[in-house]
Amino acid sequence: MSEPRIKAPRGTFDVLGEQASVRSSLESRARSILEGAGYERIETPVFEATELFARGVGSSTDIVSKEMFTFEDPGGRSLTLRPEGTAPVCRAYVEHGMHKRRQPVKLWYLSCFFRHERAQAGRYREFWQVGAEALGSDDPALDAESIALLATLLSQMGARELRLRLSSLGSPAGRESYRERLVAYLRAHEQELSAEVRGRIDANPLRAFDADDPGTRRVMQGAPRLLEHLDSSDLDHFAQVRALLDLASVPYEIDDTLVRGLDYYTRTVFEFTSDALGAQSGVGGGGRYDGLIEQLGGARAPGIGWAAGVERILLAGSASPAATPALELFVALQAPGSDARLAAFGLLAEARSAGLTAQMDLGGRSLKGQLSHAAALGARFVAIVSAGATVLKDMQAGAQRELPTDTVVHAVLRAQHAL
Ligand code: AMP
């Protein structure tokens, strides 16, 4: 009796074939857009000290309070599979003394993240994000540049029916009096709020704008809006970001209910959604986090960044798979036999050392099967190796000739030069 099959865990997926290729094309576009704008690649560990997210993302957020994969290592330390990328990047900025480099330091990543969410189409427990963070400057032009770069990436990936929502959360000092006003409003409507929102009125009143429950949504329609209570420097920063986005022709809608689910945001926040996606319409978003690095033990350094879901970009887009390299040489065996097989394997190795793309049949096919496989792969040359010599077929010209096996690579290279 065979053993029961083991399946991939719920909310995870395998990346196969064309999907892998489409992801490669996303990665190369992201690299060219972001590295062209001065972003350097960074990859941080898959797990971090749990404290990083508790302190960085905020214990009252859904991510930290309900969605983290946290475990204890054999040494008794609490570790967490990263649920997001900004806190780890800021940790790395502090840990590597990046404040000593020329500011802003611009970093980008393409990594997997983990959240224990209810799995459904477009929402997974392990998912991928491409992200970009610019640290060490509070210039509003950095906000506008960052948003424009994501807009470019999404448009190059063919993301359909996109909308960009934009708002400002002000700075913590500036929003203190607003916060008191909002808490008072929520207390006055406490009975109509969901238990969850009621439970975090003091810890995180702004998150009430994010609630799905109809009672809370009704209450929030009449709630005071932060955008109407920003102080003058936050208002000025927001006005500059908007003017620069206009200048860069990036369309946006102001949404004064946009708060985002992470506690570290200050001033600019934004989110791209696609109406082509169903319930999970968020494609990517981010904002400014001027206090985060200090909160993680670094010297004060402002920052702005975003993360966009790779699976969501692909669902919303029409990206074509990256082109696979053309096959220059297919090595076939005239007939099964160990001498010819050795010669063929030697030829394959020699061709690859010379920089040619080369494959050989390793599936025990007949010569006819090998030739049709080579044709399906679009091989430019096919070398049919026998114990004594090799027949080299030029598949484009339709010509063939016999030659010593150790001259085949030379002949292919010469023929390519002649093209
Ligand atoms: P966030 O880090 O929550 O701001 O999310 C940024 C983007 O990551 C979202 O707009 C989604 O595109 C993507 N994302 C977040 N959570 C998930 C998930 N559980 N599954 C798939 N994509 C996700």
Short mmCIF file of all heavy atoms in Angstrom, two decimals, residues 80-125:
data_model
loop_
_atom_site.label_atom_id
_atom_site.label_comp_id
_atom_site.label_asym_id
_atom_site.label_seq_id
_atom_site.Cartn_x
_atom_site.Cartn_y
_atom_site.Cartn_z
N THR A 80 10.15 35.11 14.82
CA THR A 80 8.93 35.23 14.00
C THR A 80 9.29 35.24 12.53
O THR A 80 10.23 35.93 12.13
CB THR A 80 8.19 36.54 14.39
OG1 THR A 80 7.65 36.38 15.70
CG2 THR A 80 7.04 36.84 13.43
N LEU A 81 8.55 34.46 11.74
CA LEU A 81 8.72 34.53 10.28
C LEU A 81 8.26 35.91 9.85
O LEU A 81 7.14 36.31 10.18
CB LEU A 81 7.88 33.46 9.58
CG LEU A 81 8.21 32.00 9.89
CD1 LEU A 81 7.32 31.07 9.07
CD2 LEU A 81 9.68 31.72 9.61
N ARG A 82 9.09 36.63 9.12
CA ARG A 82 8.78 38.04 8.84
C ARG A 82 7.40 38.22 8.20
O ARG A 82 7.12 37.59 7.17
CB ARG A 82 9.87 38.64 7.93
CG ARG A 82 9.99 37.87 6.64
CD ARG A 82 11.14 38.35 5.78
NE ARG A 82 11.26 37.46 4.64
CZ ARG A 82 12.31 37.38 3.85
NH1 ARG A 82 13.36 38.15 4.05
NH2 ARG A 82 12.33 36.55 2.83
N PRO A 83 6.55 39.09 8.77
CA PRO A 83 5.25 39.34 8.15
C PRO A 83 5.30 40.54 7.20
O PRO A 83 4.35 40.78 6.46
CB PRO A 83 4.34 39.66 9.34
CG PRO A 83 5.27 40.25 10.36
CD PRO A 83 6.64 39.64 10.14
N GLU A 84 6.38 41.31 7.25
CA GLU A 84 6.50 42.49 6.39
C GLU A 84 7.98 42.87 6.31
O GLU A 84 8.81 42.34 7.06
CB GLU A 84 5.62 43.64 6.91
CG GLU A 84 5.98 44.16 8.29
CD GLU A 84 6.90 45.35 8.22
OE1 GLU A 84 6.54 46.33 7.56
OE2 GLU A 84 7.99 45.31 8.83
N GLY A 85 8.31 43.81 5.42
CA GLY A 85 9.71 44.07 5.13
C GLY A 85 10.29 45.36 5.67
O GLY A 85 11.52 45.51 5.73
N THR A 86 9.43 46.30 6.08
CA THR A 86 9.97 47.62 6.45
C THR A 86 10.76 47.58 7.76
O THR A 86 11.87 48.13 7.83
CB THR A 86 8.82 48.65 6.55
OG1 THR A 86 8.13 48.64 5.30
CG2 THR A 86 9.34 50.04 6.81
N ALA A 87 10.18 46.93 8.78
CA ALA A 87 10.90 46.87 10.06
C ALA A 87 12.25 46.15 9.90
O ALA A 87 13.27 46.66 10.41
CB ALA A 87 10.02 46.22 11.13
N PRO A 88 12.33 45.02 9.19
CA PRO A 88 13.65 44.40 9.00
C PRO A 88 14.64 45.30 8.26
O PRO A 88 15.82 45.34 8.60
CB PRO A 88 13.34 43.14 8.17
CG PRO A 88 11.92 42.81 8.50
CD PRO A 88 11.24 44.12 8.72
N VAL A 89 14.16 46.03 7.25
CA VAL A 89 15.08 46.91 6.51
C VAL A 89 15.59 48.02 7.45
O VAL A 89 16.78 48.35 7.45
CB VAL A 89 14.40 47.49 5.25
CG1 VAL A 89 15.21 48.64 4.67
CG2 VAL A 89 14.21 46.40 4.20
N CYS A 90 14.70 48.55 8.27
CA CYS A 90 15.14 49.60 9.21
C CYS A 90 16.10 49.03 10.24
O CYS A 90 17.07 49.67 10.63
CB CYS A 90 13.93 50.23 9.91
SG CYS A 90 12.97 51.22 8.77
N ARG A 91 15.84 47.79 10.69
CA ARG A 91 16.78 47.14 11.61
C ARG A 91 18.16 47.04 10.97
O ARG A 91 19.19 47.34 11.58
CB ARG A 91 16.26 45.75 12.01
CG ARG A 91 17.23 45.06 12.94
CD ARG A 91 17.27 43.55 12.92
NE ARG A 91 17.10 42.88 11.67
CZ ARG A 91 18.06 42.71 10.73
NH1 ARG A 91 19.27 43.24 10.90
NH2 ARG A 91 17.80 42.05 9.63
N ALA A 92 18.18 46.63 9.69
CA ALA A 92 19.47 46.49 8.99
C ALA A 92 20.16 47.84 8.83
O ALA A 92 21.38 47.94 8.96
CB ALA A 92 19.24 45.83 7.62
N TYR A 93 19.38 48.89 8.59
CA TYR A 93 19.94 50.26 8.45
C TYR A 93 20.67 50.64 9.74
O TYR A 93 21.79 51.15 9.70
CB TYR A 93 18.78 51.21 8.16
CG TYR A 93 19.12 52.69 8.08
CD1 TYR A 93 19.53 53.25 6.87
CD2 TYR A 93 18.99 53.52 9.18
CE1 TYR A 93 19.81 54.61 6.77
CE2 TYR A 93 19.26 54.87 9.10
CZ TYR A 93 19.67 55.42 7.89
OH TYR A 93 19.93 56.76 7.80
N VAL A 94 20.04 50.35 10.87
CA VAL A 94 20.65 50.69 12.17
C VAL A 94 21.86 49.77 12.41
O VAL A 94 22.95 50.23 12.75
CB VAL A 94 19.62 50.53 13.32
CG1 VAL A 94 20.28 50.77 14.67
CG2 VAL A 94 18.44 51.48 13.11
N GLU A 95 21.64 48.46 12.20
CA GLU A 95 22.68 47.48 12.53
C GLU A 95 23.96 47.70 11.72
O GLU A 95 25.05 47.45 12.19
CB GLU A 95 22.12 46.08 12.28
CG GLU A 95 22.97 44.98 12.88
CD GLU A 95 22.19 43.67 12.98
OE1 GLU A 95 20.95 43.68 13.14
OE2 GLU A 95 22.85 42.62 12.89
N HIS A 96 23.83 48.17 10.48
CA HIS A 96 25.00 48.34 9.63
C HIS A 96 25.46 49.79 9.56
O HIS A 96 26.23 50.15 8.66
CB HIS A 96 24.71 47.79 8.23
CG HIS A 96 24.40 46.33 8.26
ND1 HIS A 96 25.35 45.34 8.42
CD2 HIS A 96 23.20 45.69 8.22
CE1 HIS A 96 24.76 44.16 8.47
NE2 HIS A 96 23.46 44.34 8.35
N GLY A 97 24.98 50.61 10.46
CA GLY A 97 25.42 52.02 10.53
C GLY A 97 25.22 52.75 9.21
O GLY A 97 26.04 53.57 8.80
N MET A 98 24.10 52.47 8.54
CA MET A 98 23.89 53.08 7.21
C MET A 98 23.63 54.58 7.29
O MET A 98 23.65 55.25 6.27
CB MET A 98 22.75 52.37 6.47
CG MET A 98 23.10 50.96 6.05
SD MET A 98 21.86 50.33 4.88
CE MET A 98 21.67 48.67 5.45
N HIS A 99 23.38 55.10 8.52
CA HIS A 99 23.19 56.55 8.66
C HIS A 99 24.48 57.29 8.31
O HIS A 99 24.46 58.48 8.06
CB HIS A 99 22.74 56.90 10.08
CG HIS A 99 23.76 56.53 11.12
ND1 HIS A 99 23.95 55.24 11.55
CD2 HIS A 99 24.66 57.28 11.79
CE1 HIS A 99 24.92 55.20 12.44
NE2 HIS A 99 25.37 56.43 12.61
N LYS A 100 25.62 56.54 8.29
CA LYS A 100 26.91 57.19 7.96
C LYS A 100 27.09 57.30 6.45
O LYS A 100 28.00 57.97 5.98
CB LYS A 100 28.07 56.39 8.55
CG LYS A 100 28.09 56.42 10.07
CD LYS A 100 29.38 55.79 10.59
CE LYS A 100 29.15 54.99 11.85
NZ LYS A 100 29.39 53.56 11.69
N ARG A 101 26.26 56.60 5.70
CA ARG A 101 26.38 56.69 4.24
C ARG A 101 25.69 57.95 3.74
O ARG A 101 25.00 58.63 4.48
CB ARG A 101 25.74 55.45 3.59
CG ARG A 101 26.58 54.22 3.83
CD ARG A 101 25.87 52.93 3.52
NE ARG A 101 25.20 52.91 2.22
CZ ARG A 101 24.65 51.82 1.68
NH1 ARG A 101 24.69 50.68 2.32
NH2 ARG A 101 24.05 51.87 0.52
N ARG A 102 25.90 58.25 2.47
CA ARG A 102 25.21 59.41 1.90
C ARG A 102 23.69 59.15 1.95
O ARG A 102 23.23 58.08 1.54
CB ARG A 102 25.68 59.60 0.45
CG ARG A 102 25.36 60.97 -0.08
CD ARG A 102 25.91 61.17 -1.48
NE ARG A 102 27.36 61.01 -1.56
CZ ARG A 102 27.99 60.24 -2.45
NH1 ARG A 102 27.30 59.55 -3.33
NH2 ARG A 102 29.30 60.16 -2.47
N GLN A 103 22.94 60.12 2.46
CA GLN A 103 21.48 59.95 2.63
C GLN A 103 20.74 60.55 1.43
O GLN A 103 21.23 61.53 0.86
CB GLN A 103 21.02 60.62 3.92
CG GLN A 103 21.79 60.16 5.16
CD GLN A 103 21.58 58.69 5.52
OE1 GLN A 103 20.47 58.28 5.78
NE2 GLN A 103 22.64 57.91 5.49
N PRO A 104 19.60 60.11 1.04
CA PRO A 104 18.93 58.93 1.58
C PRO A 104 19.57 57.64 1.08
O PRO A 104 20.10 57.60 -0.03
CB PRO A 104 17.51 59.06 1.02
CG PRO A 104 17.67 59.82 -0.26
CD PRO A 104 18.80 60.78 -0.02
N VAL A 105 19.48 56.61 1.93
CA VAL A 105 19.90 55.27 1.52
C VAL A 105 18.65 54.61 0.93
O VAL A 105 17.59 54.57 1.57
CB VAL A 105 20.41 54.47 2.74
CG1 VAL A 105 20.69 53.03 2.37
CG2 VAL A 105 21.66 55.13 3.31
N LYS A 106 18.78 54.13 -0.31
CA LYS A 106 17.60 53.56 -0.98
C LYS A 106 17.81 52.06 -1.16
O LYS A 106 18.82 51.64 -1.74
CB LYS A 106 17.44 54.21 -2.35
CG LYS A 106 17.10 55.70 -2.29
CD LYS A 106 17.25 56.29 -3.68
CE LYS A 106 16.39 57.51 -3.89
NZ LYS A 106 16.46 57.97 -5.30
N LEU A 107 16.85 51.28 -0.68
CA LEU A 107 16.99 49.82 -0.70
C LEU A 107 15.73 49.17 -1.27
O LEU A 107 14.63 49.65 -1.02
CB LEU A 107 17.22 49.32 0.73
CG LEU A 107 18.45 49.92 1.44
CD1 LEU A 107 18.39 49.68 2.94
CD2 LEU A 107 19.74 49.35 0.86
N TRP A 108 15.91 48.08 -2.02
CA TRP A 108 14.72 47.36 -2.50
C TRP A 108 14.88 45.87 -2.27
O TRP A 108 16.00 45.38 -2.10
CB TRP A 108 14.45 47.66 -3.98
CG TRP A 108 15.29 46.92 -4.97
CD1 TRP A 108 16.57 47.21 -5.34
CD2 TRP A 108 14.91 45.76 -5.74
NE1 TRP A 108 17.01 46.32 -6.29
CE2 TRP A 108 16.01 45.41 -6.55
CE3 TRP A 108 13.76 44.99 -5.82
CZ2 TRP A 108 15.99 44.32 -7.43
CZ3 TRP A 108 13.73 43.90 -6.71
CH2 TRP A 108 14.84 43.58 -7.50
N TYR A 109 13.76 45.18 -2.22
CA TYR A 109 13.79 43.73 -1.96
C TYR A 109 12.69 43.03 -2.74
O TYR A 109 11.72 43.66 -3.18
CB TYR A 109 13.65 43.43 -0.46
CG TYR A 109 12.42 44.06 0.18
CD1 TYR A 109 11.16 43.45 0.09
CD2 TYR A 109 12.52 45.25 0.88
CE1 TYR A 109 10.04 44.01 0.67
CE2 TYR A 109 11.40 45.83 1.47
CZ TYR A 109 10.16 45.22 1.35
OH TYR A 109 9.05 45.79 1.92
N LEU A 110 12.89 41.75 -2.91
CA LEU A 110 11.84 40.89 -3.46
C LEU A 110 11.91 39.62 -2.63
O LEU A 110 12.83 38.83 -2.81
CB LEU A 110 12.09 40.58 -4.93
CG LEU A 110 10.96 39.76 -5.53
CD1 LEU A 110 10.03 40.66 -6.32
CD2 LEU A 110 11.46 38.68 -6.44
N SER A 111 10.99 39.47 -1.70
CA SER A 111 11.14 38.43 -0.68
C SER A 111 9.79 37.82 -0.34
O SER A 111 8.74 38.39 -0.66
CB SER A 111 11.72 39.02 0.61
OG SER A 111 12.63 40.05 0.37
N CYS A 112 9.85 36.68 0.37
CA CYS A 112 8.61 36.04 0.81
C CYS A 112 8.27 36.49 2.22
O CYS A 112 9.16 36.78 3.03
CB CYS A 112 8.75 34.53 0.76
SG CYS A 112 10.18 33.93 1.65
N PHE A 113 6.98 36.59 2.50
CA PHE A 113 6.50 37.03 3.81
C PHE A 113 5.42 36.07 4.29
O PHE A 113 4.86 35.32 3.48
CB PHE A 113 5.98 38.47 3.73
CG PHE A 113 7.10 39.43 3.40
CD1 PHE A 113 7.39 39.74 2.08
CD2 PHE A 113 7.90 39.93 4.41
CE1 PHE A 113 8.47 40.57 1.77
CE2 PHE A 113 8.97 40.76 4.10
CZ PHE A 113 9.26 41.08 2.79
N PHE A 114 5.14 36.12 5.58
CA PHE A 114 4.26 35.11 6.18
C PHE A 114 3.23 35.77 7.09
O PHE A 114 3.61 36.53 7.98
CB PHE A 114 5.11 34.13 7.01
CG PHE A 114 6.22 33.51 6.21
CD1 PHE A 114 7.44 34.19 6.06
CD2 PHE A 114 6.05 32.29 5.58
CE1 PHE A 114 8.46 33.64 5.29
CE2 PHE A 114 7.08 31.74 4.82
CZ PHE A 114 8.28 32.42 4.67
N ARG A 115 1.96 35.51 6.82
CA ARG A 115 0.91 36.00 7.73
C ARG A 115 -0.15 34.91 7.84
O ARG A 115 -0.56 34.35 6.83
CB ARG A 115 0.24 37.28 7.18
CG ARG A 115 1.18 38.45 7.15
CD ARG A 115 0.48 39.72 6.66
NE ARG A 115 1.49 40.72 6.33
CZ ARG A 115 1.24 41.88 5.74
NH1 ARG A 115 0.01 42.19 5.41
NH2 ARG A 115 2.22 42.72 5.46
N HIS A 116 -0.56 34.64 9.07
CA HIS A 116 -1.58 33.61 9.26
C HIS A 116 -2.95 34.24 9.05
O HIS A 116 -3.64 34.61 9.98
CB HIS A 116 -1.46 32.99 10.66
CG HIS A 116 -2.18 31.71 10.75
ND1 HIS A 116 -3.52 31.62 11.06
CD2 HIS A 116 -1.76 30.44 10.53
CE1 HIS A 116 -3.88 30.36 11.04
NE2 HIS A 116 -2.84 29.63 10.72
N GLU A 117 -3.30 34.41 7.77
CA GLU A 117 -4.58 35.03 7.41
C GLU A 117 -5.50 33.95 6.87
O GLU A 117 -5.06 32.85 6.54
CB GLU A 117 -4.37 36.07 6.31
CG GLU A 117 -3.50 37.22 6.76
CD GLU A 117 -3.66 38.42 5.83
OE1 GLU A 117 -4.65 39.13 5.97
OE2 GLU A 117 -2.78 38.62 4.97
N ARG A 118 -6.79 34.27 6.74
CA ARG A 118 -7.72 33.33 6.13
C ARG A 118 -7.38 33.23 4.65
O ARG A 118 -7.44 34.21 3.93
CB ARG A 118 -9.16 33.83 6.33
CG ARG A 118 -10.19 32.72 6.41
CD ARG A 118 -11.42 33.18 7.19
NE ARG A 118 -11.78 34.56 6.86
CZ ARG A 118 -12.43 34.92 5.75
NH1 ARG A 118 -12.75 34.03 4.83
NH2 ARG A 118 -12.74 36.19 5.54
N ALA A 119 -6.97 32.01 4.23
CA ALA A 119 -6.50 31.87 2.85
C ALA A 119 -7.67 31.97 1.87
O ALA A 119 -8.73 31.43 2.12
CB ALA A 119 -5.79 30.54 2.69
N GLN A 120 -7.50 32.69 0.79
CA GLN A 120 -8.50 32.79 -0.27
C GLN A 120 -7.78 33.29 -1.52
O GLN A 120 -6.58 33.52 -1.47
CB GLN A 120 -9.63 33.74 0.12
CG GLN A 120 -9.16 35.15 0.41
CD GLN A 120 -10.29 36.03 0.94
OE1 GLN A 120 -10.49 36.09 2.14
NE2 GLN A 120 -11.01 36.67 0.06
N ALA A 121 -8.52 33.45 -2.63
CA ALA A 121 -7.86 33.89 -3.86
C ALA A 121 -7.15 35.22 -3.60
O ALA A 121 -7.77 36.16 -3.09
CB ALA A 121 -8.90 34.07 -4.96
N GLY A 122 -5.87 35.29 -3.91
CA GLY A 122 -5.13 36.54 -3.73
C GLY A 122 -4.66 36.79 -2.31
O GLY A 122 -4.00 37.78 -2.04
N ARG A 123 -5.01 35.89 -1.39
CA ARG A 123 -4.53 36.07 -0.02
C ARG A 123 -3.95 34.75 0.48
O ARG A 123 -4.64 33.73 0.52
CB ARG A 123 -5.67 36.51 0.88
CG ARG A 123 -5.15 37.11 2.19
CD ARG A 123 -6.15 36.92 3.28
NE ARG A 123 -6.93 38.11 3.52
CZ ARG A 123 -8.12 38.07 4.12
NH1 ARG A 123 -8.65 36.93 4.47
NH2 ARG A 123 -8.76 39.19 4.34
N TYR A 124 -2.69 34.79 0.81
CA TYR A 124 -1.97 33.56 1.13
C TYR A 124 -1.29 33.70 2.48
O TYR A 124 -1.19 34.79 3.04
CB TYR A 124 -0.93 33.27 0.05
CG TYR A 124 -1.51 33.35 -1.33
CD1 TYR A 124 -1.35 34.50 -2.11
CD2 TYR A 124 -2.29 32.32 -1.84
CE1 TYR A 124 -1.93 34.61 -3.37
CE2 TYR A 124 -2.88 32.41 -3.09
CZ TYR A 124 -2.69 33.56 -3.85
OH TYR A 124 -3.28 33.67 -5.07
N ARG A 125 -0.79 32.57 2.97
CA ARG A 125 -0.05 32.61 4.25
C ARG A 125 1.44 32.78 4.02
O ARG A 125 2.14 33.28 4.89
CB ARG A 125 -0.37 31.36 5.06
CG ARG A 125 -1.82 31.40 5.48
CD ARG A 125 -2.24 30.24 6.33
NE ARG A 125 -3.62 30.46 6.74
CZ ARG A 125 -4.38 29.55 7.30
NH1 ARG A 125 -3.91 28.33 7.51
NH2 ARG A 125 -5.62 29.84 7.63
#
